[in-house]
Amino acid sequence: MVSRVIPVDSFDLVIFGGTGDLARRKILPGLFRRFCAGQMPPEAQIVGAARTEMDDAGFRDMVRAAIDEFGGGAEDPGQLDSFLERVGYVAVDAKGDGGWKALKDRLRDDCVRAFYFSVGPALFGDLAERLRAFGLATETSRIVVEKPFGHDLESARALNRELAQYFDETQIYRIDHYLGKETVQNLMAVRFGNVLFEPLWNAQFVDHIQITVAETVGVGGRGGYYDDSGAMRDMVQNHLMQLLCLIAMEPPAQFEPDSVRDEKLKVIRALDPVEPHHIVRGQYGADEKQPGYRAHVENERSRTESFVALKAHVSNWRWAGTPFYLRTGKMLRARTSEIAVVFKDAPHSIFGAEAGRHNNVLAIRLQPNEGMTLDVTIKEPGPGGMRLVDVPLDMTFADALGPDGANVPDAYERLVMDVIRGNQTLFMRGDEVEAAWAWTDPMIDGWEARGDVPKPYDPGSSGPEDALMLLHRDGRRWRDIKA
Ligand code: NAP
């Protein structure tokens, strides 16, 4: 049932930061899986680039170890050797002139050229500049930039301006890996490929929308970076915002990069400023197994949030009056990402008060078990009269699509192949990123000016009590955070 694999054009892909965590955990194993799937043409070449001095053989050993550790998916052990023949390494310093000539000599002229900036954002400008200065970038070359794209509106604008000096917007691929998830794209298929949902997809029929991205882990080894950013910058400004856009946007005229991105941008621009009392920030405390957030980031006075919940409004005809509740946090009860479209009650119940209140909920699960459920109200079986019960119509992809349904490409694999194909639909445009910062900045500035301290919450909980109250005050409740 999984769609046919169409090989991409021949390419040279340079991964700056090829020795780093993201390259080892995601990019390189993902490329290997695409190779095994037959999507990579035989002459394709992958070149790792970083400062560490290493030869091709040393890098291949590192890639082999990374694929062993983080999952490859080869059916035939010989496939890994064959993949590694396409992998090489050049030592390059983004801030110096060493290595650039050697890197240029490695690249071919007659194929797609892509440069993946898997390094800290402080190096994006240096890399872009040197790619031009040393003549590596051609008019059709692409660059892929990782998050975080800026720390606020001003820095995102500066970064956009800097990259624009060297590359056209059509050559810049800003990755948000949430957009590469199968379910996220399915959201568009469900909305715009069926007649069932779109007529109901508005304030008249939708009571509210919940978007939850919950993690069970703490800040881990990223303490320094995280304490400087927090959940709003790290998750809401990008990932949750993208999900909100796909839920709220108007149907684009075509499934084509600028049509889709224009519609997403309109949503971001239609977002009202969020009132301070509609934002709840939290910080996880300690439990018997581990210390709390402040110990993790080694900052006993930290006021950075590891949890945030908020109520947003999209001010347009479709969504006037329908709240969008967003929440994300670390050290919560379960690892789950879910969008729930909660429909209104039926306008009149013919079954009387004892049948209770029931409503339809379309829940789109990004993880675990990517899939969708639609809660439908039916009669409770048995002789007890007309009692109603909500049952889920469950479409877990792994079940619905057979064994292949569980083998859909990981987000990074799909997105890297889109870069080679030259398809920007699932990448953020510069104006989208800036508009998202323009919405989140006043919230952050506001709590910083007020000196707000995040509310403590217990590890393994659903977040601070105030987040429950945010919905409770509106006569609603969050869906359970469960795996
Ligand atoms: P990392 O493990 O610290 O790796 C950084 C890489 O950059 C290393 O390969 C390093 O190698 C190279 N590097 C550093 N300075 C360099 C220079 N002057 N010239 C050339 N190469 C240089 O970082 P990461 O976790 O892989 O993250 C990379 C980027 O992806 C960051 O922007 C991060 O925010 C983003 N990201 C990461 C993840 C993740 O899961 N890790 C998820 C989302 C986004 P040398 O020291 O040998 O130069």
Side-chain angles (χ1 to χ4, degrees):
M1 284 278 281
V2 169
S3 61
R4 201 160 49 88
V5 170
I6 301 170
V8 294
D9 290 340
S10 185
F11 65 86
D12 283 350
L13 171 67
V14 178
I15 308 173
F16 292 107
T19 55
D21 179 68
L22 182 68
R24 284 184 295 111
R25 272 190 320 115
K26 290 286 181 187
I27 307 169
L28 290 159
L31 283 163
F32 177 52
R33 282 192 291 270
R34 290 296 88 211
F35 173 79
C36 295
Q39 200 162 14
M40 208 180 281
E43 334 72 50
Q45 183 185 204
I46 296 153
V47 184
R51 288 168 306 178
T52 306
E53 290 295 338
M54 205 187 310
D55 58 10
D56 286 345
F59 187 60
R60 285 178 187 149
D61 288 345
M62 198 212 79
V63 176
R64 184 188 291 279
I67 289 172
D68 282 347
E69 186 175 353
F70 299 112
E75 282 165 19
D76 163 9
Q79 279 181 309
L80 183 51
D81 293 328
S82 192
F83 173 73
L84 291 175
E85 283 168 21
R86 287 154 182 82
V87 174
Y89 182 83
V90 178
V92 167
D93 184 356
K95 286 187 162 301
D97 294 343
W100 288 93
K101 167 91 178 48
L103 183 58
K104 186 180 180 192
D105 291 343
R106 281 281 178 116
L107 303 180
R108 297 169 297 154
D109 289 328
D110 53 348
C111 66
V112 173
R113 239 179 229 192
F115 301 97
Y116 199 127
F117 293 6
S118 182
V119 295
L123 297 178
F124 292 171
D126 295 303
L127 287 174
E129 183 187 347
R130 282 176 175 72
L131 284 172
R132 279 283 178 216
F134 286 90
L136 281 80
T138 62
E139 289 320 303
T140 57
S141 297
R142 287 125 216 204
I143 60 168
V144 185
V145 291
E146 264 297 338
K147 83 166 210 190
F149 197 89
H151 188 72
D152 52 19
L153 177 58
E154 197 184 325
S155 54
R157 273 190 184 144
L159 199 46
N160 275 333
R161 271 198 305 269
E162 194 171 15
L163 294 180
Q165 286 177 44
Y166 310 106
F167 291 93
D168 187 72
E169 181 63 32
T170 56
Q171 298 177 282
I172 304 172
Y173 290 69
R174 294 174 194 78
I175 267 204
D176 185 320
H177 71 273
Y178 267 56
L179 289 177
K181 286 178 182 284
E182 185 73 10
T183 328
V184 172
Q185 292 168 68
N186 235 319
L187 188 53
M188 284 187 274
V190 165
R191 280 194 63 190
F192 306 131
N194 297 286
V195 292
L196 272 184
F197 296 107
E198 206 46 29
L200 307 178
W201 210 263
N202 54 50
Q204 196 186 342
F205 294 101
V206 175
D207 180 71
H208 72 281
I209 284 160
Q210 298 186 16
I211 303 179
T212 298
V213 177
E215 297 176 275
T216 49
V217 292
V219 293
R222 301 164 69 219
Y225 156 76
Y226 195 90
D227 202 38
D228 204 28
S229 66
M232 181 67 100
R233 289 188 169 99
D234 190 48
M235 297 296 291
V236 177
Q237 186 274 343
N238 39 64
H239 304 318
L240 276 80
M241 173 67 82
Q242 290 297 321
L243 300 180
L244 187 155
C245 285
L246 295 177
I247 286 281
M249 73 181 187
E250 295 301 316
Q254 284 161 343
F255 189 60
E256 175 269 304
D258 279 331
S259 297
V260 172
R261 299 186 304 175
D262 286 347
E263 295 307 333
K264 281 161 54 193
L265 181 62
K266 285 183 206 162
V267 173
I268 305 175
R269 290 193 172 149
L271 279 165
D272 283 344
V274 181
E275 307 271 341
H277 64 283
H278 289 158
I279 308 171
V280 177
R281 295 196 309 139
Q283 203 180 62
Y284 61 82
D287 63 8
E288 58 286 352
K289 283 186 250 141
Q290 51 196 329
Y293 175 85
R294 291 180 173 187
H296 277 160
V297 299
E298 296 175 0
N299 177 3
E300 275 312 311
R301 301 164 67 86
S302 172
R303 290 183 170 183
T304 303
E305 75 286 356
S306 60
F307 174 100
V308 66
L310 59 89
K311 176 161 106 168
H313 282 283
V314 180
S315 271
N316 60 20
W317 272 59
R318 186 189 281 264
W319 293 117
T322 308
F324 286 69
Y325 299 101
L326 276 50
R327 76 180 154 167
T328 181
K330 293 191 172 292
M331 285 287 201
L332 296 177
R333 181 172 297 146
R335 175 172 179 261
T336 178
S337 301
E338 185 195 75
I339 302 165
V341 180
V342 181
F343 290 92
K344 290 186 174 168
D345 293 355
H348 165 71
S349 172
I350 63 169
F351 304 110
E354 66 277 14
R357 293 182 59 183
H358 296 270
N359 56 357
N360 304 117
V361 179
L362 177 68
I364 300 132
R365 269 191 325 274
L366 278 65
Q367 64 186 22
N369 307 327
E370 286 195 57
M372 299 190 193
T373 54
L374 176 63
D375 286 355
V376 177
T377 305
I378 60 165
K379 177 189 170 299
E380 195 173 61
M386 189 53 116
R387 292 213 181 85
L388 302 184
V389 62
D390 296 330
V391 292
L393 292 178
D394 194 338
M395 192 181 67
T396 301
F397 295 153
D399 299 339
L401 304 177
D404 283 348
N407 289 332
V408 292
D410 163 82
Y412 276 94
E413 304 176 45
R414 175 191 312 273
L415 293 173
V416 174
M417 289 297 111
D418 278 359
V419 173
I420 306 298
R421 282 199 201 93
N423 186 340
Q424 289 185 304
T425 310
L426 300 176
F427 295 83
M428 293 179 295
R429 211 167 51 192
D431 51 4
E432 258 185 271
V433 177
E434 289 184 15
W437 281 120
W439 185 65
T440 50
D441 270 6
M443 289 188 255
I444 297 170
D445 293 347
W447 71 58
E448 282 177 357
R450 291 189 301 274
D452 286 357
V453 180
K455 307 277 189 243
Y457 63 94
D458 291 334
S461 69
S462 303
E465 198 64 22
D466 290 32
L468 304 181
M469 291 307 294
L470 183 69
L471 269 72
H472 190 72
R473 281 200 300 266
D474 294 347
R476 303 182 174 107
R477 58 188 295 271
W478 289 106
R479 287 165 60 82
D480 289 343
I481 294 181
K482 57 180 185 216

